[in-house]
Amino acid sequence: NASVEATGYLIVADKFEARKGDILSFDWAYTTYTTGGVTSNDKLQIQISTDCGKTFTDVFSKSGVDLRTGDETPDGSRFIPNATQWKSTEIDISAFEGQTINVRLFATSEYGNQLFIDNINITSNPLDVNDLSEGESLDIMPNPATTNTTFEFNLASATEVSYAVTDVMGK
């Protein structure tokens, strides 16, 4: 029995400053391949580094049948997922708040049957809703804005307010 193994990675965020409430999300589709009674054991890892890529920590790791989103193709033919054979996941990465991180997708192939990845996003909660009491609100107008923006607070009582404006990369 011959064994085929290949690895590769894709950096999806380089020098990104993680913030409270950050969520990494993506969709994937995959199926295993069985030949000679041996089922492939491909692996997908989502990893984060806080030291410029010297070391990485897994925040997502699935392989083989745990990674599979669709049934094996009947004769080992190429897997092309339909709309029901995709899975979505969200990973809370706010544990890395305040740190500059690199995020990579790391794949290991053991002759599997096509791994598809789509809709990779890192989203931040622009408001820490926990800081607002019930009945209080913040409106930002216009949204999106090109030059000027108005922040309108509706608070229960006079209070000191602070805010920060960042772009989608956390800058």
Side-chain angles (χ1 to χ4, degrees):
N1 285 336
S3 175
V4 176
E5 184 174 313
T7 61
Y9 67 88
L10 171 67
I11 300 290
V12 295
D14 185 30
K15 299 177 185 168
F16 175 83
E17 185 176 334
R19 296 181 295 177
K20 182 177 181 181
D22 282 353
I23 301 290
L24 169 66
S25 61
F26 64 96
D27 303 330
W28 85 92
Y30 168 76
T31 193
T32 52
Y33 179 80
T34 300
T35 183
V38 177
T39 301
S40 60
N41 195 34
D42 294 359
K43 187 174 190 177
L44 174 63
Q45 297 161 271
I46 309 300
Q47 302 176 319
I48 293 182
S49 173
T50 57
D51 58 9
C52 294
K54 292 177 186 160
T55 61
F56 283 87
T57 300
D58 286 353
V59 293
F60 174 94
S61 181
K62 288 192 182 286
S63 61
V65 295
D66 291 334
L67 182 61
R68 190 167 67 194
T69 62
D71 294 333
E72 282 190 358
T73 51
D75 58 0
S77 59
R78 185 174 175 179
F79 171 65
I80 299 178
N82 62 41
T84 65
Q85 294 172 315
W86 286 86
K87 285 192 178 178
S88 299
T89 194
E90 291 186 347
I91 303 162
D92 181 354
I93 60 170
S94 60
F96 299 94
E97 176 184 3
Q99 298 179 67
T100 300
I101 62 173
N102 293 22
V103 180
R104 76 177 181 184
L105 282 73
F106 192 90
T108 304
S109 173
E110 286 188 359
Y111 197 60
N113 198 352
Q114 308 295 323
L115 170 61
F116 297 86
I117 302 170
D118 200 3
N119 300 321
I120 304 165
N121 291 293
I122 297 177
T123 54
S124 296
N125 182 355
L127 298 176
D128 190 351
V129 177
N130 295 327
D131 289 345
L132 294 175
S133 298
E134 189 171 332
E136 296 181 329
S137 64
L138 168 62
D139 292 319
I140 303 171
M141 303 166 282
N143 188 7
T146 55
T147 54
N148 296 317
T149 301
T150 300
F151 294 82
E152 186 175 295
F153 292 89
N154 178 15
L155 303 173
S157 61
T159 187
E160 185 175 321
V161 174
S162 64
Y163 62 92
V165 178
T166 59
D167 67 14
V168 295
M169 293 304 292
K171 296 179 186 173

